[in-house]
């Protein structure tokens, strides 16, 4: 029969389903999973009321529809041939079972919260360029630029090297079309009397505008990527997902 998605299998494994190797969305294998979830994990019905779920006859899917409805799990058009509905019901019931077990463990104070610890290699990944710091500092000092601390992260080291590169190889005179940038004519949007402060404010406003432009480019890129994922989706019920 149709295979159960790996995500569902992992949840059944976490619930210690005993017949995981034979678990399927077809025939009695599927019926056994639903019955096991009710009898061992969910326990909505009393034992005597589970008889309808134990009889795997032609009315079984009708009883499961009623059962799922009581639990708030959508089960419309549930039948042997409707694989998508069967998978949806199974997923909803396993979610309820996992939630119930988690809640019971939390009420019994049986859960241990382990704080996430950063892997030792994280620091190394951020400071792979430590050996370049002394040489970079000599260059920065030569060009009267701020030096780096000994434990500088790679991002700061790369930024410092870019500053040195800009000093070593200044842009050509025609980099901006041959027209020099007059800082005194840049709008600041503020009433500033000091000419030096006014130039600094103009430069900051210009840089902020450039950053906003790049932010808009990034936003447009993300929107395009999302649209490529959501436009004209193709449904494959056997995989339990929607999308390409």
């Amino acid at each position: 029969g149709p295979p159960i998605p790996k995500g569902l299998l992992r949840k059944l494994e976490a619930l210690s389903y005993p017949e995981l190797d034979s678990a399927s969305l077809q025939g009695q294998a599927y019926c056994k999973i639903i019955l096991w979830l009710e009898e061992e994990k969910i326990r909505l019905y009393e034992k005597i009321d589970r008889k309808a779920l134990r009889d795997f006859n032609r009315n079984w899917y009708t009883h499961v529809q009623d059962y799922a409805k009581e639990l708030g799990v959508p089960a419309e058009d549930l039948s042997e041939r409707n694989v998508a509905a069967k998978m949806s019901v199974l997923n909803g019931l396993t979610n309820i079972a996992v939630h119930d077990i988690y809640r019971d463990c939390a009420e019994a104070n049986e859960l241990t919260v382990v704080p996430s610890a950063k892997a030792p290699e994280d620091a190394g990944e951020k400071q792979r360029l430590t050996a370049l710091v002394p040489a970079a500092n000599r260059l920065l000092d030569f060009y009267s630029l701020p030096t780096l601390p000994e434990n500088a992260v790679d991002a700061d080291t790369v930024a410092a090297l870019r500053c040195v590169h800009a000093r070593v190889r200044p842009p050509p005179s025609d980099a901006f079309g041959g027209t020099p940038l007059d800082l005194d004519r840049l709008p600041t949007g503020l009433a500033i009397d000091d000419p030096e402060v006014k130039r600094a404010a103009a430069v900051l406003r210009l840089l902020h505008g450039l950053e906003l432009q790049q932010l808009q480019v990034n936003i447009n890129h993300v929107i395009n990527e999302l649209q490529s994922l959501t436009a004209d989706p193709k449904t494959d019920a056997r995989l339990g997902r929607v999308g390409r």
Side-chain angles (χ1 to χ4, degrees):
I4 295 180
K6 292 182 178 179
L8 263 175
L9 286 176
R10 284 195 294 268
K11 284 187 279 189
L12 290 174
E13 183 180 7
L15 294 170
S16 302
Y17 181 63
E19 300 182 24
L20 197 62
D21 294 336
S22 61
S24 171
L25 294 175
Q26 194 74 22
Q28 290 194 4
Y30 177 79
C31 301
K32 288 180 180 179
I33 300 175
I34 302 297
L35 177 62
W36 181 84
L37 287 172
E38 164 57 21
E39 290 193 326
E40 300 296 331
K41 302 300 177 181
I42 301 176
R43 299 189 178 104
L44 174 68
Y45 292 161
E46 296 292 335
K47 187 175 181 179
I48 192 174
D49 297 328
R50 297 173 190 156
K51 184 178 182 303
L53 296 179
R54 295 192 190 99
D55 294 335
F56 303 152
N57 52 36
R58 66 177 61 185
N59 296 323
W60 185 82
Y61 285 98
T62 302
H63 296 310
V64 173
Q65 277 185 305
D66 297 335
Y67 168 71
K69 185 177 180 180
E70 291 188 52
L71 290 169
V73 175
E76 290 78 9
D77 301 324
L78 180 64
S79 65
E80 174 63 26
R81 295 183 179 181
N82 194 336
V83 177
K86 292 166 72 174
M87 186 160 47
S88 175
V89 170
L90 179 57
N91 184 61
L93 295 180
T94 51
N95 287 343
I96 292 175
V98 171
H99 176 269
D100 288 348
I101 292 176
Y102 179 85
R103 182 183 58 191
D104 292 342
C105 292
E107 292 176 353
N109 294 323
E110 297 177 355
L111 294 177
T112 303
V113 180
V114 180
S116 58
K118 294 184 178 179
E121 59 270 13
D122 288 349
E125 291 179 357
K126 293 181 180 179
Q127 296 182 340
R128 292 179 179 176
L129 303 180
T130 304
L132 297 179
V133 171
N137 279 337
R138 289 196 294 270
L139 291 171
L140 292 169
D141 185 64
F142 178 79
Y143 289 105
S144 301
L145 295 171
T147 57
L148 296 167
E150 294 181 359
N151 60 343
V153 296
D154 284 358
D156 292 342
T157 305
V158 171
L161 293 175
R162 286 176 177 171
C163 291
V164 172
H165 180 267
R167 291 295 181 91
V168 172
R169 187 180 179 183
S173 58
D174 59 347
F176 298 97
T179 303
L181 184 63
D182 189 355
L183 298 181
D184 293 326
R185 301 186 63 179
L186 289 177
T188 60
L190 300 171
I192 303 175
D193 296 330
D194 191 323
E196 294 297 328
V197 176
K198 185 176 181 179
R199 293 191 189 98
V203 171
L204 290 176
R205 185 178 185 185
L206 177 63
L207 294 175
H208 181 61
L210 294 174
E211 290 180 352
L212 290 178
Q213 289 179 357
Q214 185 59 44
L215 176 62
Q216 185 62 56
V217 171
N218 295 340
I219 292 174
N220 293 340
H221 177 70
V222 172
I223 292 175
N224 289 335
E225 291 293 324
L226 291 175
Q227 287 177 342
S228 67
L229 294 175
T230 58
D232 189 24
K234 299 179 180 178
T235 304
D236 190 344
R238 294 173 301 176
L239 299 178
R241 64 187 183 191
V242 175
R244 298 178 181 177

